[in-house]
Amino acid sequence: MTAQSHDIFAALRDRAVAALRALLPDLPEEALARVQMEPPREAAHGDMATNAALVAGKAARQPPPRLAAALAERLAALPEVAEAAPAGPGFVNLRLREDVLRAQIPVILAAGEAYGDSAAGGGRRVNVEYVSANPTGPMHVGHCRGAVVGDALANLLAKAGWAVTKEYYVNDAGAQVQALGYAAYWRYLQALGTTMTEEEYAQLIPGGLQYRGDYLVPVGAALRERFGDSLAVPDPAHRYGMAGPDHWLAPVREFAVARMMEAIREDLAALGVVQDVFVSEAQLIREGMLERAEALLAAKGLIYRGVLEPPKGKTPEDWEPREQTLFRATQFGDEVDRPLRKSDGSGTYFANDIANHLGKIERGFDALVHVWGADHGGYVRRMRAAVAALSDGRVSFDVVLTQIVHVVKGGQPVRMSKRAGTYVTLRDLIEEVGRDAVRFTMLTRKADAQMEFDLDKVVEQSRDNPVFYVQYAHARCRSVLRQAGDPAPAALAAAPLHHLADPAELTLLRRLCAWPRLVEAAAAAREPHRIAFFLHDLAADFHVLWNRGRDDSTLRFIRGDEPEATRARLALVAATATVIRSGLAVMGVTPVEEMR
């Protein structure tokens, strides 16, 4: 069975397109490409709704309502369709035959967790870059949200048929990494036994001491073990003092970045995030990728020397109208052209990012997807312009922006970390509530919506906690199946499914049938939070059915006096558990077998 055949929405869309071709043989393909088959906004309107008559009517210059009536007549004649009716300005609502819904149960049981796999991506290569935090300190809750969203999105794209590479861009060049080197050197001097105070040291270095968290104490000790006292100078007043930075800054910075990246990888692994590729900004610069990118853009006539207009609003005091090397970003939809070189000749932050993206393009990716913090929203247009210029429009570029997370406990903000000193770390969060709860909760809001992560609610066992609510549904499914002796999926697939006729059973079936379409839609929209929403709705449908069985004995899953009905209901339960596991796998969450 192919991935495409899982999706009854796709199958009915194909039927609608075929009917349109029969009605309008000269209809252009671009109109047919816009035909959609979706769940209606209200369940009372049917199982599916299509915009086919609306898009075709405009293209064929025919009244969409009249075309919808003709299309509904053709669709009503299909063996899968129980009823088809025109609606609104050109939609057609469809109600499927119940046996079509029931027929998806054997499909689900045969496919297992691969149910919902799609060929929509066509095996095209997509690079998903996420986290990419500066290697200057522990991962915090903001990084956590980006890590979960990025990882789930990568999993979602893979399920939708893309060939996915998960990537981390290591920002190991620039002022912040320089500041890390100075901070690590202070911890090194402490490890040697300096009597210099922190403030005395801070006054000796450019920009002061930026990173003061205890997390650098082990780095200082490791530096002492690796280099002894060779990077410091004896000082009678302080026992050990600061040597000239030319002597120690480069090796300390390199050592500190390596240790920070080890810690970051460990933090990500604790969250269940393992990326395929780590790309170093410093290495790209050393390899001349910036110059290659600039030469490529110059060859396309997209580089020039010029003077930018002053920034909009209040002009900064340090702004000066100097001639710069500029990229013609406005040719690709940006607001202004962008500088590539600083006054000292080094690359701007934007230029280094262009080099990074040229590397991705040269590795043959068809699509680039980034997960960035919302504070980078103003950076999207210039990078989209750069990717369009570098790839001649061949490579698509998408950015998912994540908003900040507020951690609360007992109704009060949680602000401090034992390790970092100023923020809640990713490790703190995992140790408090567990990896699966962190991952699921981070996907219960759209990425660009602010989030309140309530530590109390995340571990609460109630229907108000979506993590518990979905896991409880799976645990209930497994409990029923264990009670029945864990029958094989193949045996359940052969059950007489006509016994599934109660409205609550059919509602659950409709939800299961919608999973393949949901995968494709969520992947196309780059919105992994839709998976969490779907699973919550699926769990709600199952819990309703469970409770119906408590109130009405004829709807219980296992009935000794009705073995055939029992087999049919066990098939429905097994299919529900399968789809929950399929969704949780995308989210990177382990399904619970039983609740304690």
Side-chain angles (χ1 to χ4, degrees):
M1 176 171 292
T2 65
Q4 186 69 20
S5 65
H6 294 172
D7 190 349
I8 61 174
F9 283 85
L12 266 294
R13 179 195 175 278
D14 291 344
R15 304 286 196 281
V17 168
L20 268 185
R21 283 199 174 103
L23 287 168
L24 301 169
D26 297 327
L27 195 66
E29 287 298 317
E30 55 265 27
L32 294 172
R34 297 198 301 275
V35 172
Q36 297 177 336
M37 187 70 70
E38 302 176 311
R41 292 188 178 182
E42 295 184 26
H45 293 165
D47 298 318
M48 298 180 180
T50 180
N51 65 344
L54 189 64
V55 297
K58 292 179 179 179
R61 296 183 180 179
Q62 290 193 21
R66 189 171 69 187
L67 184 57
L71 182 61
E73 185 177 348
R74 284 181 174 265
L75 294 178
L78 294 173
E80 303 99 320
V81 177
E83 181 184 349
F91 292 93
V92 177
N93 291 334
L94 305 176
R95 190 172 300 281
L96 301 181
R97 290 168 55 95
E98 291 177 1
D99 58 337
V100 173
L101 301 174
R102 297 185 190 107
Q104 283 298 102
I105 289 183
V107 173
I108 296 169
L109 296 178
E113 291 175 31
Y115 177 64
D117 286 6
S118 167
R124 288 171 290 171
R125 298 185 62 203
V126 58
N127 181 290
V128 185
E129 183 191 305
Y130 55 106
V131 189
S132 300
N134 290 327
T136 54
M139 305 286 291
H140 57 63
V141 292
H143 301 137
C144 175
R145 190 176 193 186
V148 171
V149 169
D151 207 52
L153 177 55
N155 295 341
L156 175 60
L157 289 168
K159 192 168 182 68
W162 290 82
V164 178
T165 295
K166 301 178 178 181
E167 187 157 308
Y168 188 117
Y169 180 55
V170 184
N171 294 278
D172 54 357
Q176 288 179 306
V177 171
Q178 200 85 330
L180 173 70
Y182 281 105
Y185 188 70
W186 165 240
R187 296 303 187 180
Y188 164 71
L189 292 179
Q190 283 187 312
L192 290 174
T194 184
T195 56
M196 186 188 309
T197 68
E198 187 172 86
E199 290 310 316
E200 285 174 335
Y201 176 77
Q203 292 174 13
L204 297 176
I205 62 175
L209 188 59
Q210 293 188 33
Y211 303 110
R212 302 188 183 218
D214 289 346
Y215 62 89
L216 287 175
V217 171
V219 177
L223 281 164
R224 182 191 62 185
E225 184 177 343
R226 169 69 176 81
F227 294 100
D229 63 0
S230 65
L231 301 179
V233 294
D235 186 318
H238 294 115
R239 191 172 176 191
Y240 281 102
M242 177 178 172
D246 290 346
H247 172 60
W248 58 262
L249 184 54
V252 167
R253 183 180 61 221
E254 183 178 336
F255 187 92
V257 167
R259 285 303 178 102
M260 287 294 97
M261 285 307 303
E262 286 179 17
I264 285 171
R265 287 178 191 245
E266 289 173 1
D267 285 349
L268 290 173
L271 189 62
V273 174
V274 179
Q275 281 148 309
D276 304 311
V277 179
F278 287 75
V279 174
S280 161
E281 179 184 10
Q283 185 174 345
L284 288 176
I285 293 171
R286 287 194 300 270
E287 293 176 350
M289 187 64 81
L290 194 158
E291 287 75 19
R292 285 174 57 190
E294 192 172 326
L296 177 61
L297 294 174
K300 297 172 183 279
L302 299 174
I303 301 289
Y304 70 102
R305 297 286 295 177
V307 178
L308 289 175
E309 294 291 325
K312 294 179 181 178
K314 185 177 180 181
T315 302
E317 291 182 4
D318 60 352
W319 183 84
E320 57 183 19
R322 65 180 181 85
E323 190 176 62
Q324 296 174 282
T325 300
L326 301 173
F327 161 57
R328 298 186 188 276
T330 50
Q331 287 193 15
F332 302 89
D334 199 3
E335 297 171 343
V336 296
D337 291 341
R338 302 292 179 177
L340 298 183
R341 295 285 178 179
K342 300 176 185 176
S343 56
D344 63 2
S346 64
T348 60
Y349 184 86
F350 175 58
N352 291 350
D353 268 353
I354 288 180
N356 173 32
H357 286 77
L358 176 59
K360 297 179 195 295
I361 291 167
E362 289 183 345
R363 282 185 278 151
F365 291 104
D366 302 295
L368 307 180
V369 179
H370 289 264
V371 179
W372 291 346
D375 56 334
H376 288 74
Y379 203 70
V380 174
R381 290 179 70 176
R382 72 188 71 178
M383 281 316 311
R384 181 172 286 121
V387 170
L390 291 169
S391 69
D392 295 321
R394 180 187 69 82
V395 177
S396 66
F397 178 84
D398 291 300
V399 175
V400 176
L401 297 174
T402 61
Q403 270 288 0
I404 60 176
V405 179
H406 302 284
V407 181
V408 299
K409 186 172 186 178
Q412 298 298 316
V414 178
R415 301 187 183 280
M416 305 296 284
S417 163
K418 294 176 183 177
R419 272 206 305 160
T422 56
Y423 49 79
V424 180
T425 68
L426 167 58
R427 281 299 182 97
D428 295 332
L429 209 56
I430 294 173
E431 289 172 6
E432 184 77 19
V433 301
R435 184 190 85 180
D436 288 336
V438 169
R439 289 190 67 121
F440 197 110
T441 304
M442 287 292 177
L443 294 168
T444 56
R445 296 286 184 278
K446 190 175 180 181
D448 61 0
Q450 291 196 18
M451 166 176 280
E452 185 176 89
F453 194 108
D454 190 324
L455 295 172
D456 298 319
K457 184 163 287 188
V458 167
V459 295
E460 181 181 278
Q461 294 196 350
S462 79
R463 65 174 299 162
D464 294 329
N465 175 9
V467 184
F468 171 80
Y469 197 58
V470 172
Q471 290 282 31
Y472 193 31
H474 184 265
R476 276 179 158 176
C477 289
R478 291 295 302 131
S479 174
V480 170
L481 294 170
R482 283 195 301 271
Q483 186 180 348
D486 264 330
L492 295 178
L497 299 175
H498 66 274
H499 288 284
L500 303 175
D502 186 82
E505 293 170 332
L506 295 172
T507 295
L508 180 56
L509 265 174
R510 289 185 175 93
R511 188 79 63 188
L512 297 175
C513 292
W515 172 236
R517 185 200 165 275
L518 187 281
V519 168
E520 285 195 8
R526 314 297 195 238
E527 292 185 344
H529 72 277
R530 295 192 191 187
I531 307 302
F533 288 14
F534 173 86
L535 290 181
H536 187 273
D537 291 341
L538 176 59
D541 293 337
F542 180 78
H543 289 310
V544 166
L545 184 56
W546 175 284
N547 292 327
R548 287 284 303 279
R550 293 177 62 182
D551 299 333
D552 181 352
S553 62
T554 65
L555 290 176
R556 289 176 184 168
F557 296 121
I558 299 176
R559 293 192 60 189
D561 59 336
E562 291 192 3
E564 296 299 288
T566 294
R567 269 210 306 153
R569 286 171 182 153
L570 289 175
L572 178 60
V573 171
T576 301
T578 297
V579 174
I580 291 175
R581 288 195 299 274
S582 182
L584 291 178
V586 173
M587 298 174 73
V589 174
T590 305
V592 171
E593 287 289 306
E594 55 184 328
M595 304 299 286
R596 293 184 175 87

